Amino acid sequence: MVKLRDGMWLPAEGVRTEYAEEIYNITPLDGERGLSLLCPVGQIRSRGNTLNMPTVTLDVRAEFDGVISLEAAHWRGAQNHGPHFDLYPDGKPSVEGKISKNDKNATTLASGSLAVTLESEPHRFGLKFHSTDGAKTLTTLGGRSVGFAYSPGPSTPMQTGDMRDFKHYMFFQTGLSVGESVHGLGERFTAWNKVGQSVSLWNADGGTSSDQAYKNVSFWMSNRGYGVFIDNPGRVDLAIGSERTSRVQHSVEGQRLKWYVIYGPTPKEVLKKYSILTGKPGKVPGWSHGLWLTTSFTTNYDESTVTSFLEGMKKRNSPVDVFHFDCFWMKAFTWTDFVFDSERFPDPKGQIARLKEQGLCKKVCVWINPYIAEHGAAFKYAAEKGYLLKRKNGDIWQWDLWQAGMGLVDVTNPEARAWYTECLNGLFDQGVDALKTDFGERIPTLDVQWHDKTVDPHKMHNYYAFQYNQLVYEALQKRYGNDEAVLFARAACAGAQRFPLVWGGDCESTPEALAESIRGGLSMGLSGFSYWSCDIGGFEGSPPPWVYKRWVAMGLLCSHSRLHGSSSYRVPWTVDNDDKTEEGCSRTLAKWTALKTRLMPYFYAQGMESREGGIPLSLRTLALEFPEDPTAWFVDRQFMVGSQILAAPVFEESGEVEFYLPKGRWTSYFTGEVKTGPGWFREKHAFGTLPLYVREGTILVLGNRKESGAVYEYSKDVEVALYEVQAGDKTTAVDYDGNVLGELVIGDDGKIKDTSLLKGDVSVSEKGRDLNGDPPVSIESI
């Protein structure tokens, strides 16, 4: 990470930094849709000052309503190699920019609700972003906030005739206001508010206990109602209120840097506009929301083991919707060659079919990645055909990290993509329905030559995750249909939300890791991703029973729920020696599985709304629903499940938990007790519950208690529970296929106007859901 300053007064050692010092000239772009600013790095007070004077060109454009882009360049003759983010995948909205001047001769460019006003004083540089009506200032580019830097700093301009020994950076610094907080930037496990942190957006396999991230997304959101998207898939370094405590500094290596300022004014509106720019999340099928189970990373996958586990889960009332085979479905040293280990899988197609025919699972997923081991059947063919990434001398790029002699699928080669798709089709032919696309973070940048020689290897490092997951997702869509495709990805970058879904990666089996995972999920949700999951119970190590049970409660409230571990099983009876009591792991898992099953009509309807708005289903920060509540921007140990239900996981073995309820009346899902916020509350919970509160004004459609698993008709034999409703409150009803059936609306008499769009035996509970038939609960207010 380049550091520009040594404190306030001194330049960083070995770095020469040049700042745009004034707006010397303003030229319209594309009529009234933009402005080009010529900005010298010194003040021009005479003609002589224009000589030997570097400049920064800053192009400012109206993109669409509420969005303005800025591109700063030093030497515009430098090539701008790809890959580039695939922007506006659903089409770009029309835009009408408007240029005006005020009585102080200050120039303003407006793009719908967002405007930027340029500094009007001579020999000064500055831009102010504000609502077009002038009611709200968002942020600024103040003095010495845009420019470029050399490392090492040249002692004379003559040295820059040969740039091979110099690195060149572009940077910009947005102002941080008093009390402003910054969130997002992908799946980050550090503190939820990023102010005070230095962040490198560079995909890495670092687990959940470090400042590294599998999913780096070059977008952040402010609690002041705006977001910033950096349009560069390469490494972006941010110093967020750290190098300059009142600024967010962004820097990239190269000669140009483009970014977008996105105005809401609400955080939901910011995310919706960001999703127009980078893409909306894809639709997922209902079965994917059910319980996923894997026999873990290094454990046995023979048919008798898998069958016994699935039968055990069914017997204990935790039916599995998706069974996942992790790495060792292939032989050791052969990953990824797409060949089932014949010793453990003599009849993989038959085995998969039998699992489904016996009703032990509905779908099957297998683990894959883009790394092709030298000893696998696929390597020789792929190498001969030129489908693997090469070194500059023509050798196949290989190393022994992870798999011996592994190569990397060259996703820039159309023929390689077609070959890989055919390999996936072979899996589909054997009954595989979904794919876990692991890895994709360790993408080399040195001594490599991609098939597409126009791409910049540096930019390919992060962007590889987009292209790889796109390849797999489109293969699934082609086989199973656009709305039936599901992958389980670990690496991602901006735009990869279009290929759901992602999970949090390798976490430890500790309460601290549970909290890390929640922070990662919250950050991912503010990065445009609707669907997120984690390894329930933790991946590394063996969870103590109490940690497993607390994680089960949180994990079954994520949009997607998977039991997965490394060297130990995650079926509940292996965790606590098959404790059959109400507080044992098996009964706890059964309770939470049943709860998610009942919530499926709500989950699915909320998921459809979430992806249309580019917002998270779960984990959703409270700040999205209560942006005017300052506390909501700092709560990072609880989350919203959709817009109407608040969940607060428990991190203490004692069951004690402190949680926050925003303004309004909140009803406990488990007891019907009503609490009034805003305020902090303390409770003590047994393992079958956690603070789960339903927001006032909620019409909650619940599946029938007799349903088992996530696959059923979400509009039939349902219970409609009303929570503190008033006239005009409404909710959307959907069926299993995702068809919108219509709205359930509260009339002037406080009752639902019409339930005829629902089928079968429909019951309405007017004071919260009917608690009869629930298992006993133990919740104590403290």
Side-chain angles (χ1 to χ4, degrees):
M1 177 177 291
V2 63
K3 191 174 176 67
L4 302 181
R5 306 294 299 177
D6 178 8
M8 283 193 64
W9 317 121
L10 301 176
E13 184 176 354
V15 177
R16 180 180 177 86
T17 304
E18 302 282 7
Y19 300 95
E21 294 282 6
E22 70 170 74
I23 300 174
Y24 179 75
N25 188 48
I26 303 173
T27 304
L29 290 173
D30 304 324
E32 290 203 350
R33 296 172 67 175
L35 300 166
S36 184
L37 316 182
L38 179 63
C39 306
V41 300
Q43 295 180 354
I44 307 300
R45 296 183 177 274
S46 71
R47 289 183 174 183
N49 294 146
T50 63
L51 303 177
N52 302 312
M53 176 63 70
T55 60
V56 174
T57 303
L58 185 60
D59 290 342
V60 186
R61 284 186 168 87
E63 294 288 339
F64 61 96
D65 182 12
V67 181
I68 290 176
S69 69
L70 302 94
E71 183 173 28
H74 178 201
W75 294 334
R76 290 197 287 183
Q79 298 180 69
N80 187 17
H81 289 298
H84 304 291
F85 287 124
D86 182 19
L87 302 183
Y88 303 109
D90 298 318
K92 184 176 180 179
S94 60
V95 59
E96 292 185 8
K98 181 179 180 181
I99 299 172
S100 61
K101 287 194 176 185
N102 63 17
D103 55 3
K104 296 182 180 179
N105 204 37
T107 301
T108 295
L109 170 66
S111 181
S113 60
L114 175 65
V116 57
T117 298
L118 313 184
E119 174 63 61
S120 60
E121 292 293 323
H123 311 305
R124 294 183 64 179
F125 176 89
L127 293 85
K128 181 176 75 172
F129 296 88
H130 56 89
S131 59
T132 300
D133 62 11
K136 186 173 184 179
T137 297
L138 304 176
T139 189
T140 60
L141 293 173
R144 296 198 151 199
S145 64
V146 176
F148 59 90
Y150 294 99
S151 178
S155 58
T156 168
M158 290 291 291
Q159 290 180 303
T160 63
D162 182 354
M163 288 293 294
R164 289 175 295 179
D165 294 328
F166 296 94
K167 289 187 175 182
H168 185 282
Y169 300 91
M170 298 297 300
F171 66 86
F172 70 97
Q173 301 169 345
T174 54
L176 269 177
S177 299
V178 176
E180 185 168 2
S181 58
V182 169
H183 310 269
L185 295 173
E187 184 188 55
R188 315 212 75 81
F189 306 104
T190 54
W192 158 240
N193 177 9
K194 305 306 178 210
V195 172
Q197 299 182 37
S198 295
V199 176
S200 279
L201 302 182
W202 191 249
N203 285 0
D205 178 6
T208 69
S209 296
S210 76
D211 62 352
Q212 296 181 5
Y214 302 104
K215 307 168 189 68
N216 288 271
V217 178
S218 51
F219 169 78
W220 56 266
M221 182 185 290
S222 164
N223 64 345
R224 290 177 62 83
Y226 74 95
V228 173
F229 169 61
I230 306 100
D231 186 10
N232 189 310
R235 183 195 296 272
V236 180
D237 291 325
L238 297 100
I240 307 166
S242 51
E243 187 169 332
R244 288 289 305 273
T245 58
S246 60
R247 291 183 176 181
V248 182
Q249 177 175 295
H250 318 67
S251 61
V252 300
E253 187 175 351
Q255 289 288 343
R256 57 172 57 81
L257 173 55
K258 187 173 184 179
W259 67 100
Y260 295 74
V261 177
I262 305 171
Y263 177 46
T266 69
K268 283 186 178 181
E269 289 172 296
V270 172
L271 282 178
K272 186 170 186 177
K273 292 172 184 177
Y274 172 71
S275 72
I276 292 172
L277 190 60
T278 61
K280 294 183 183 299
K283 182 180 178 181
V284 296
W287 56 261
S288 72
H289 288 292
L291 183 61
W292 295 48
L293 173 68
T294 164
T295 52
S296 306
F297 170 33
T298 60
T299 50
N300 290 332
Y301 290 3
D302 60 274
E303 187 166 1
S304 62
T305 300
V306 172
T307 301
S308 70
F309 280 171
L310 290 172
E311 288 176 342
M313 294 287 284
K314 191 173 183 179
K315 178 182 178 182
R316 292 167 174 83
N317 298 313
S318 294
V320 172
D321 284 295
V322 185
F323 185 78
H324 170 71
F325 293 96
D326 219 53
C327 315
F328 279 99
W329 66 271
M330 296 173 285
K331 286 185 178 180
F333 290 109
T334 70
W335 308 339
T336 296
D337 67 352
F338 309 97
V339 178
F340 279 87
D341 181 348
S342 59
E343 294 181 12
R344 292 182 173 84
F345 299 90
D347 178 22
K349 185 175 182 178
Q351 177 180 347
I352 291 172
R354 286 188 289 275
L355 293 177
K356 296 176 182 178
E357 289 166 0
Q358 295 169 29
L360 297 178
C361 67
K362 296 179 179 66
K363 303 290 182 179
V364 165
C365 175
V366 299
W367 175 96
I368 61 170
N369 66 51
Y371 305 156
I372 310 297
E374 182 175 272
H375 301 289
F379 183 89
K380 182 178 179 181
Y381 180 82
E384 289 175 350
K385 292 292 186 179
Y387 297 160
L388 303 178
L389 179 64
K390 294 182 179 180
R391 299 188 187 275
K392 290 182 178 179
N393 66 2
D395 290 347
I396 302 296
W397 178 87
Q398 292 178 265
W399 65 7
D400 292 325
L401 189 60
W402 182 243
Q403 288 287 284
M406 55 153 276
L408 182 68
V409 176
D410 189 339
V411 293
T412 72
N413 183 345
E415 293 183 2
R417 295 174 70 93
W419 164 75
Y420 199 86
T421 298
E422 284 307 305
C423 293
L424 300 182
N425 284 331
L427 295 179
F428 304 153
D429 290 341
Q430 296 181 80
V432 173
D433 306 282
L435 296 166
K436 173 182 171 181
T437 52
D438 205 354
F439 288 91
E441 304 94 3
R442 295 170 177 165
I443 307 302
T445 59
L446 304 176
D447 189 28
V448 294
Q449 179 62 66
W450 293 89
H451 174 81
D452 181 352
K453 295 180 173 55
T454 68
V455 303
D456 179 352
H458 178 86
K459 292 181 179 178
M460 279 297 298
H461 176 86
N462 286 347
Y463 199 67
Y464 190 93
F466 179 94
Q467 292 189 316
Y468 175 62
N469 287 312
Q470 179 187 45
L471 162 62
V472 176
Y473 188 71
E474 290 179 350
L476 284 161
Q477 285 184 312
K478 187 173 182 180
R479 172 58 69 99
Y480 295 117
N482 287 347
D483 296 337
E484 286 290 313
V486 176
L487 52 79
F488 219 82
R490 192 173 76 173
C493 64
Q497 67 268 13
R498 292 157 53 183
F499 320 123
L501 62 116
V502 296
W503 100 99
D506 297 348
C507 48
E508 296 175 321
S509 300
T510 64
E512 291 80 11
L514 173 56
E516 292 163 6
S517 296
I518 291 172
R519 294 196 297 270
L522 292 172
S523 292
M524 203 63 185
L526 279 192
S527 302
F529 288 71
S530 288
Y531 306 110
W532 182 87
S533 185
C534 60
D535 289 343
I536 295 176
F539 178 72
E540 296 287 351
S542 299
W546 79 268
V547 170
Y548 177 89
K549 288 181 281 190
R550 295 303 184 192
W551 209 313
V552 160
M554 174 267 185
L556 268 296
L557 293 171
C558 295
S559 77
H560 291 77
S561 307
R562 185 183 70 157
L563 294 161
H564 181 55
S566 178
S567 57
S568 59
Y569 296 120
R570 291 294 178 267
V571 287
W573 59 91
T574 64
V575 178
D576 63 358
N577 296 317
D578 202 12
D579 180 349
K580 294 182 172 61
T581 68
E582 283 295 309
E583 293 292 283
C585 289
S586 293
R587 285 293 302 137
T588 298
L589 178 61
K591 292 173 185 176
W592 288 101
T593 303
L595 184 145
K596 189 168 190 180
T597 296
R598 286 211 76 193
L599 285 175
M600 275 308 303
Y602 171 78
F603 258 92
Y604 212 45
Q606 286 281 316
M608 293 175 66
E609 292 179 12
S610 296
R611 70 183 198 87
E612 282 302 310
I615 59 177
L617 168 56
S618 178
L619 308 181
R620 181 183 297 186
T621 171
L622 274 63
L624 275 178
E625 296 299 328
F626 304 94
E628 300 303 319
D629 184 339
T631 303
W633 288 97
F634 290 90
V635 173
D636 64 359
R637 296 192 298 276
Q638 58 191 72
F639 53 90
M640 299 294 293
V641 182
S643 62
Q644 303 303 112
I645 299 177
L646 180 149
V650 179
F651 302 96
E652 299 292 336
E653 187 171 5
S654 66
E656 295 183 5
V657 56
E658 185 176 33
F659 60 97
Y660 177 74
L661 295 177
K663 183 179 180 180
R665 289 171 62 79
W666 298 84
T667 303
S668 169
Y669 178 88
F670 294 108
T671 68
E673 179 188 0
V674 177
K675 286 182 165 62
T676 301
W680 287 90
F681 302 87
R682 291 181 61 84
E683 293 177 351
K684 185 174 182 179
H685 284 257
F687 291 112
T689 62
L690 53 66
L692 191 67
Y693 280 84
V694 183
R695 189 176 182 177
E696 65 183 2
T698 297
I699 304 170
L700 187 60
V701 181
L702 296 168
N704 192 285
R705 293 180 187 274
K706 296 179 181 179
E707 299 292 352
S708 178
V711 179
Y712 62 91
E713 181 46 68
Y714 301 150
S715 62
K716 184 179 180 181
D717 299 336
V718 297
E719 176 187 357
V720 182
L722 310 184
Y723 289 86
E724 305 274 330
V725 294
Q726 296 181 4
D729 288 337
K730 58 187 178 180
T731 192
T732 301
V734 300
D735 62 16
Y736 175 78
D737 295 319
N739 299 309
V740 175
L741 304 177
E743 290 184 333
L744 300 173
V745 182
I746 301 298
D748 293 336
D749 59 357
K751 301 179 183 296
I752 293 182
K753 289 183 179 180
D754 183 15
T755 61
S756 61
L757 55 84
L758 303 173
K759 305 172 185 176
D761 183 14
V762 177
S763 64
V764 178
S765 303
E766 296 185 352
K767 294 185 178 181
R769 70 183 184 91
D770 184 359
L771 302 181
N772 290 320
D774 278 11
V777 299
S778 175
I779 303 175
E780 177 186 349
S781 293
I782 53 177

